[in-house]
Amino acid sequence: IAEVEELVEVGQLDPDEIHLPGIYVDRVVVGERYDRLIEKLTVVDDPPAASSATADVAVNEIRNRIARRAAKEFKDGMYVNLGIGVPTLASNFIPAGVSVVLQSENGLLGMGPYPRRGQEHPDLVNAGKETVSYLPGSSIFSSSESFAMIRGKHIDLTVLGALELSSHGDLASWIIPGKTVKGMGGAMDLVSSCDNIIVTTTHTTKKGGPKIISECKLPLTGKGVVKMIITELAVFDVDATNGLTLLEVFE
């Protein structure tokens, strides 16, 4: 069953434009109304409200510190997938002279920065549903094609957030039992297919408890998959057998 916005006469569509041949379609339904809403409008030229700017400055400094350090792991020519939140911020700190291609698992290769106000498009969003732009040379494709890239190990580096981490590289990032979740997203495919997984996260939870523990208590996204952990306090190398090695401490 295909739900469509508009019906046209046979022959009006160029054969090269067909995404789904008619042999697969048994019924066509034309919707009465389509409101193309933007769930998360993100633009580059909106200054923060004065009331929130002061309150959030410490949080933003922490997030930017983590993202800035993660960006140092980008190498020229890499294909990179950035998770939602702090990982996405890393794209703002790509080192001079380094060119990377950002992939979004919902079907965009060559993702650009947030658009300017008025240039946003409801169909052009990243995996976190934020409005984005695309760069020259980019391509848009189906989610199945996107995950073929991921599962085919074409992504050189993945940067993700975390709810919990074990000292041997186990990652829990997708659910807190008892709380509503829309879905696990693409993280499980990413951690099982990419050999270079970096996690960016605050060192502690909002309640002050440790995020890096000996064994994860939350449901796992992947076991022994994390290669590096970057927090606002330190950087750790992670080995699935030998555990953590402290590489850097932030002053």
Side-chain angles (χ1 to χ4, degrees), residues 40 42 59-60 62-64 66-68 70 74 81-93 105 111 114 126-130 159-162 199-202 211:
K40 293 183 180 179
T42 46
V59 173
N60 288 335
I62 288 173
R63 288 162 56 88
N64 285 334
I66 299 170
R68 186 179 290 108
F74 295 164
N81 183 288
L82 300 177
I84 300 169
V86 173
T88 299
L89 292 178
S91 62
N92 296 329
F93 303 104
E105 63 257 34
M111 183 168 60
Y114 295 141
N126 62 19
K129 299 184 179 179
E130 299 172 323
V159 185
L160 297 171
V199 165
T200 57
T201 181
T202 53
K211 277 195 171 183

Side-chain angles (χ1 to χ4, degrees), residues 113-128:
Y114 295 141
R116 295 194 175 276
R117 181 165 290 280
Q119 297 179 347
E120 67 274 1
H121 192 286
D123 291 335
L124 193 55
V125 296
N126 62 19

Side-chain angles (χ1 to χ4, degrees), residues 132-151:
V132 295
S133 63
Y134 57 84
L135 301 175
S138 65
S139 54
I140 295 174
F141 35 83
S142 68
S143 181
S144 59
E145 181 75 20
S146 178
F147 279 90
M149 295 175 189
I150 293 170
R151 295 168 184 169

Side-chain angles (χ1 to χ4, degrees), residues 23 25 42 59 62 65 68 75 103 106 110 113 130 138 152 154-155 158 173 178 191 196 207-208 210 222 241 243 245:
I23 194 171
V25 181
T42 46
V59 173
I62 288 173
R65 174 189 290 184
R68 186 179 290 108
K75 302 295 185 290
Q103 193 254 19
N106 59 319
E130 299 172 323
S138 65
H154 298 286
I155 305 301
T158 295
S173 66
V191 300
N196 193 4
K207 295 182 178 180
T241 302
T245 300

Side-chain angles (χ1 to χ4, degrees), residues 20-222:
L20 184 70
I23 194 171
Y24 297 113
V25 181
D26 298 303
R27 185 178 178 188
V28 175
V29 177
V30 182
E32 295 182 359
R33 176 181 175 184
Y34 289 93
D35 293 324
R36 305 175 78 180
L37 303 177
I38 294 177
E39 187 168 331
K40 293 183 180 179
L41 177 62
T42 46
V43 293
V44 298
D45 45 1
D46 270 6
S51 59
S52 64
T54 302
D56 294 341
V57 65
V59 173
N60 288 335
E61 285 181 359
I62 288 173
R63 288 162 56 88
N64 285 334
R65 174 189 290 184
I66 299 170
R68 186 179 290 108
R69 176 57 186 83
K72 292 183 179 180
E73 298 302 312
F74 295 164
K75 302 295 185 290
D76 196 46
M78 273 185 168
Y79 290 98
V80 179
N81 183 288
L82 300 177
I84 300 169
V86 173
T88 299
L89 292 178
S91 62
N92 296 329
F93 303 104
I94 298 174
V98 173
S99 176
V100 298
V101 179
L102 300 181
Q103 193 254 19
S104 184
E105 63 257 34
N106 59 319
L108 174 59
L109 189 66
M111 183 168 60
Y114 295 141
R116 295 194 175 276
R117 181 165 290 280
Q119 297 179 347
E120 67 274 1
H121 192 286
D123 291 335
L124 193 55
V125 296
N126 62 19
K129 299 184 179 179
E130 299 172 323
T131 49
V132 295
S133 63
Y134 57 84
L135 301 175
S138 65
S139 54
I140 295 174
F141 35 83
S142 68
S143 181
S144 59
E145 181 75 20
S146 178
F147 279 90
M149 295 175 189
I150 293 170
R151 295 168 184 169
K153 294 184 176 293
H154 298 286
I155 305 301
D156 300 305
L157 172 65
T158 295
V159 185
L160 297 171
L163 297 171
E164 277 184 349
L165 292 152
S166 82
S167 56
H168 288 81
D170 300 339
L171 171 64
S173 66
W174 71 278
I175 191 172
I176 298 176
K179 292 196 174 183
T180 302
V181 62
K182 292 183 178 180
M184 63 188 66
M188 288 187 179
D189 281 279
L190 286 161
V191 300
S192 63
S193 303
C194 183
D195 295 327
N196 193 4
I197 305 293
I198 295 175
V199 165
T200 57
T201 181
T202 53
H203 208 82
T204 60
T205 66
K206 292 181 179 179
K207 295 182 178 180
K211 277 195 171 183
I212 306 171
I213 53 182
S214 58
E215 186 173 343
C216 290
K217 299 174 183 177
L218 297 175
L220 293 183
T221 306

